[in-house]
Amino acid sequence: VQLQASGGGLVQAGGSLSLSCAAPKNIFTIKTMGWYRQAPGQERELVATISRDFSTTYVDSVKDRFTISRDNDKNTVYLQMNNLKPEDTSVYYCTADIQRYPQIATKTYWGQGTQVTVSS
């Protein structure tokens, strides 16, 4: 299963960017979806998650600035990032807990990563 991430890029501090990540259509169900990020020399950090019934969680540093959402019909998760700060600069990775078939266990899949750079 391949997750296709898009978005990201270079923006000045205070600006906005939007990320999206799509899973294939031929999947039994997708449970939790989320976004992680990893800056050079740092550990990967969980940024936000969203359950299938749209419950969300955020790391404190992005609360009130980032919004995670999903479209279950499109198997897609989004991350709207507003008021970006230089410390948000990272490679962002999407994840999805996917059950491919009813008789198969759920497994976590990762997108390829997309660079977000915020200049001061």
Side-chain angles (χ1 to χ4, degrees):
V1 175
Q2 198 158 10
L3 304 183
Q4 190 65 46
S6 61
L10 173 64
V11 67
Q12 288 188 330
S16 297
L17 285 173
S18 180
L19 307 179
S20 64
C21 177
K25 294 292 184 63
N26 57 335
I27 285 173
F28 176 62
T29 190
I30 301 177
K31 299 175 181 178
T32 300
M33 305 183 84
W35 291 93
Y36 283 74
R37 65 186 179 185
Q38 187 168 22
Q42 297 190 17
E43 293 187 356
R44 192 167 292 189
E45 175 186 47
L46 177 60
V47 176
T49 66
I50 184 166
S51 68
R52 185 165 182 82
D53 63 356
F54 308 106
S55 296
T56 59
T57 67
Y58 297 92
V59 67
D60 286 345
S61 60
V62 307
K63 284 180 180 177
D64 300 323
R65 300 189 299 120
F66 290 12
T67 301
I68 189 170
S69 61
R70 65 188 286 172
D71 184 330
N72 288 336
D73 291 334
K74 296 181 178 180
N75 287 352
T76 300
V77 62
Y78 307 93
L79 187 67
Q80 177 64 40
M81 304 180 290
N82 297 328
N83 190 22
L84 282 159
K85 303 177 180 181
E87 51 264 41
D88 295 318
T89 296
S90 285
V91 177
Y92 284 71
Y93 299 90
C94 60
T95 66
D97 295 336
I98 293 174
Q99 187 178 8
R100 296 187 65 186
Y101 306 104
Q103 67 273 28
I104 293 181
T106 301
K107 180 180 175 182
T108 299
Y109 293 86
W110 292 78
Q112 78 275 22
T114 184
Q115 178 70 44
V116 171
T117 302
V118 185
S119 63
S120 57

